[in-house]
Amino acid sequence: MTMPPIASAADVDLSDWEFWKRPMADREHSFQLLRDLDKPAFYEEPQVSFASQGMGYHALVKHADILEASRTPEVFCSGDGGATNIVDMPPEFVEYFGSMISMDDPRHARLRRIVSRAFTPKMIKQFEDDVALAATKIVDDLLEKGPGCDFVEEVAARLPLKIICDMMGIPEKDYRFVFDRSNMILGAQDPEYVGDIEAVGTALLTAGLELQQMVGELAAHREQNPTNDLISSLVNANIDGERLTLQELGSFFILLVVAGNETTRNAISYGLRLLTTNPDQKARWLTDVDGLAPGAVEEIVRLASPVNYMRRKVTRDHVMNGNEYKKGEKVVLYYWSANRDAAVFDDPLRFDIGRNPNPHVGFGGPGPHFCLGAHLARREITVMFRELLTRVPAIEGGSPERLFSSFINGTKHMTCEF
C-alpha cells in the first residue's frame, strides 16, 4: 500500500500509527514541517486498548521548547499519568514501567538520591572494566561466526544486556529471559513481539510482572547474602533512614534493563549504519580511533536519538517561548526532532563526528530527568566501536529492519558484512 505524500504540516498526524511506518526520509521531512510552524501542532491522542483517550497534546518539536520544558519540571510534570505514554496510563502501568521517569519531586528526588548512592566510583570503575572485556569477547565471537550475521543480536544487543545483567547480579542463564521481556515492553506495537494489538496491555503487564518477580526473588536473597552487585547495594542501601521498597526496586530494575539495554543497543546499531552510509566519516575516525571517539559517540547519539519522546503534563497556566499552555494540558517532547533542529545544528542531517558544539538531547533534556546512565552508555558505545574499528575495520551494516514504535527509534535486525 502506497502512503500519500506529505506536502504540508497539515498532512502530518503523529498519533496515527501508520505515520511511524513511513520511511525515515518521510519522518525527517514531516518534523521539519512541524518545526517551521509558528506554534506547536496539537493532536488528538492515539487510541490504545489499555487506556482511555484524553484531551490531546501539543507536540514540542523545537530544541528551544524541549530545553525550556525540561528545565521547568514544576510546570511540566512527569508523574501525572506517566511520562512514557501519551495517554494517561493506568496506575499499575505507571508503577511497573515508570520508576523515576514517571515521578516528580519530592518522590523523584528521594528515589534518585538512594539509587545514585549505589553508583559509587568504585562500582562505575568495575563496570568500565567489564565493558572492555565483554566487547572483546563479542568481537571474538563475531570474527568466529563470520559475515552475514545479524549485527543487532550478535553485537549491539549483547554488550548492554550483559553489562546490565552483570551489574544487577543476574546469572547468564537468564539473559535471554530479560532480553525477550524488554523487547516485549518496548516493542509492544510491533507484531514481531506482540501479535495481537488488543493484547498489548496484558502483554506489557505480564512482562513487567515477570521481571519484577525475578528481581524480587534475587533481592530477598541478596538482603541476607549480599555480594558486590547492584541489587545488593540497592536492597541494602540506607540513606538517612530511607530504603527502597521491593516495588520501587522492581520498577527501577525494569527501567534499567529496558532503558539501559534497548537504547544503547539501538545507538550502536544506528552507529554502524551511519558509518556504512558515510564512509568519509568512518575513514576519518579510523585515523584516530581513541582521539575522535568522544565526538563520534555524541554524534551517533544525536542522530540515533533512541528515545523519540517523553510526555509531560502542565501543572498551571504558563507561557513558554511565546506560546500559551493551560493547566492540565499535555505536551510531548520529541527529542528526535530537537536533535535535527537547524536553528541549533548546522546541516542537521549530516553525520559529522567532529561536530562541535553538539548540544543534543539524546539523553533527555537538562533538569532532574537527565539520563542517570548516560556515562555508562557513552562508555559502552565507545568501547564497542573501538573494538570494531581496530579489529574489523571493513565491517558494514546492511539495510536495517526498523522497530514499529512511536516511542523508540529502534533497529530490530541488520545484517553485517566484513
Side-chain angles (χ1 to χ4, degrees), residues 345-359:
F345 303 99
D346 179 48
D347 194 4
L349 300 185
R350 177 171 52 89
F351 177 52
D352 178 5
I353 66 170
R355 185 180 293 276
N356 185 33
N358 191 351

Side-chain angles (χ1 to χ4, degrees), residues 162-235:
K162 174 175 174 53
I163 297 305
I164 292 295
C165 287
D166 287 355
M167 282 171 58
M168 299 297 283
I170 295 166
E172 188 171 355
K173 67 180 178 63
D174 292 326
Y175 286 5
R176 188 74 203 187
F177 177 87
V178 173
F179 178 74
D180 289 342
R181 272 43 179 198
S182 65
N183 276 341
M184 190 172 293
I185 290 171
L186 282 185
Q189 295 169 344
D190 194 303
E192 181 173 337
Y193 303 118
V194 180
D196 182 2
I197 194 66
E198 295 300 318
V200 166
T202 301
L204 282 170
L205 271 182
T206 300
L209 282 168
E210 289 176 338
L211 287 174
Q212 190 173 59
Q213 182 177 4
M214 167 192 277
V215 77
E217 293 172 354
L218 202 53
H221 183 262
R222 291 290 193 270
E223 193 168 14
Q224 302 301 321
N225 305 278
T227 62
N228 62 347
D229 59 44
L230 190 55
I231 284 185
S232 296
S233 298
L234 291 173
V235 77

